[in-house]
Amino acid sequence: MLVLLRNSGEGFEPPSSADFVFKPIFGDSIFFTKPVFLVALSVILISTFFILSARKAAVVPSKMQFAGEAVYGFVRNTIGREVIGPEFMRFVPFLFTVFVFVLTNNIFGVVPLLQFPTMSRIGFPIGITLVSYVVYHWVAIGKHGFFKYMKDIMFMPGIPKPVYLILTPVEIATYFITRPLTLAMRLFANMFAGHLLLLIFTLGGEYLLTSGLLMKFLSLFSFSFAVGLSFFELGIQFLQAYIFTLLTALYIAGALADEH
Amino acid sequence: MAKADDGAFWSIIAYLISGLVFWGGAGAIADHFFHTHILFLVGMLVGMSAGLWLIWLRFIRQ
């Protein structure tokens, strides 16, 4: 197909990382671009939804309350209680906020008209990761004290002393650099790749429409692929929000554990 | 069990990356100073084994 495209006169311009850079909607401040507005919109949507669903809380829930409680219950039971253990209630508000925020911003990727997953701009995953980074180290230091925490990380019991020279730097790098890095990168890369994939099929289909009759016919396949992949993306977007929250919970659980 | 497995999976990845990057990096820097070419490889192998050892200590021994 690519060969046909190349031979058909004007070149097809494949989507690239340039498609992720937006001009400011008004003015020329970088704070007024589409992703920033999407984040603001997500905050408004989330707060409206959960205030409405919790306002008239009743024993027999309305549909709205039921939906809100289903999401909350999912985070509290399957992520909070099962992963963190007895002290989980302290962290449920945090985990719940992270989950709902990431999920909403991811799903923007397949919402018609919005169609951009905010988390495909690396700044946003880094921001959330920094919060969760501070939280899990803070929890550990609060629980064990700074020196015992560092000692637990650096010196694993039951190995000969000279080996610490090799293992300790790796442990420190894992806890303080690789973990937050993979946390942010995974979310960013999944959203970036997913959006790029959708762009390829939609822009490709659009380009085929401008070509000859056979190409117009082929564009049908391209568009239907884009629609199918949108549903696939929806699954990935949910999964990434879940994994992000789950790993945050696991790191907190590790921080609370008596020995590392 | 799936959750613990997920956590273990990503921790394993994190250990392997840190081992490779830290000791591989140390080897590359040493190569640069001593004008050799072998230390980078040695560093990566050391890092890989350190990562694998930590994985064994954390996830298999228990």
Side-chain angles (χ1 to χ4, degrees):
Chain A
M1 196 159 91
L2 275 174
V3 177
L4 283 176
L5 286 175
R6 282 209 193 94
N7 293 339
S8 63
E10 331 147 17
F12 167 66
E13 215 177 292
S16 68
S17 57
D19 288 303
F20 290 81
V21 182
F22 292 92
K23 286 211 174 66
I25 294 176
F26 55 83
D28 42 31
S29 158
I30 53 160
F31 292 110
F32 295 123
T33 57
K34 188 178 175 184
V36 179
F37 281 111
L38 285 179
V39 167
L41 177 66
S42 77
V43 173
I44 294 169
L45 284 180
I46 295 167
S47 15
T48 317
F49 175 73
F50 284 105
I51 288 171
L52 283 181
S53 73
R55 201 179 47 181
K56 289 190 203 131
V59 182
V60 180
S62 61
K63 266 183 194 150
M64 194 90 162
Q65 191 192 342
F66 182 76
E69 279 177 0
V71 181
Y72 171 75
F74 171 75
V75 177
R76 188 190 61 188
N77 299 340
T78 51
I79 301 179
R81 181 154 53 200
E82 279 182 38
V83 174
I84 300 184
E87 284 179 81
F88 74 101
M89 267 324 271
R90 266 167 72 202
F91 304 102
V92 169
F94 171 63
L95 294 176
F96 179 65
T97 313
V98 167
F99 178 74
V100 177
F101 183 70
V102 175
L103 181 66
T104 311
N105 277 292
N106 282 353
I107 285 181
F108 281 168
V110 292
V111 173
L113 298 179
L114 303 175
Q115 271 160 336
F116 183 77
T118 326
M119 296 296 155
S120 64
R121 293 304 307 266
I122 185 103
F124 297 104
I126 288 180
I128 312 173
T129 304
L130 278 180
V131 176
S132 109
Y133 184 66
V134 169
V135 166
Y136 78 79
H137 283 306
W138 185 265
V139 167
I141 292 170
K143 168 115 180 173
H144 303 291
F146 180 72
F147 290 103
K148 182 168 182 306
Y149 178 51
M150 289 306 288
K151 194 175 142 277
D152 278 344
I153 291 177
M154 291 195 286
F155 302 110
M156 226 186 225
I159 43 177
K161 280 218 169 55
V163 180
Y164 284 132
L165 203 63
I166 295 173
L167 294 191
T168 302
V170 178
E171 282 275 41
I172 293 175
T174 302
Y175 270 79
F176 291 94
I177 299 166
T178 321
R179 274 184 170 188
L181 207 66
T182 50
L183 200 59
M185 285 302 283
R186 178 175 43 251
L187 180 57
F188 157 73
N190 272 290
M191 289 306 109
F192 184 87
H195 189 60
L196 205 58
L197 200 62
L198 292 184
L199 278 179
I200 286 175
F201 282 101
T202 0
L203 293 180
E206 197 185 356
Y207 180 78
L208 287 173
L209 268 183
T210 64
S211 313
L213 192 63
L214 179 69
M215 293 299 168
K216 281 198 174 64
F217 176 71
L218 282 176
S219 78
L220 268 179
F221 289 98
S222 189
F223 281 127
S224 45
F225 243 87
V227 174
L229 280 172
S230 294
F231 285 102
F232 176 68
E233 272 310 304
L234 194 63
I236 304 237
Q237 285 157 352
F238 176 81
L239 191 71
Q240 286 310 314
Y242 171 71
I243 289 259
F244 193 95
T245 320
L246 177 68
L247 283 175
T248 303
L250 277 163
Y251 294 158
I252 292 174
L256 286 172
D258 284 330
E259 53 173 338
H260 289 275
Chain B
M1 259 342 268
K3 286 182 200 68
D5 288 347
D6 263 352
F9 176 73
W10 288 110
S11 297
I12 286 169
I13 301 264
Y15 273 128
L16 288 177
I17 293 176
S18 340
L20 274 179
V21 169
F22 185 86
W23 286 112
I29 291 168
D31 264 347
H32 185 75
F33 278 106
F34 300 121
H35 302 289
T36 51
H37 294 288
I38 188 76
L39 293 176
F40 177 50
L41 183 67
V42 174
M44 286 214 294
L45 287 175
V46 170
M48 196 74 178
S49 10
L52 286 174
W53 196 348
L54 280 170
I55 291 163
W56 180 78
L57 285 170
R58 247 193 230 296
F59 299 106
I60 300 174
R61 193 179 57 167
Q62 290 163 357

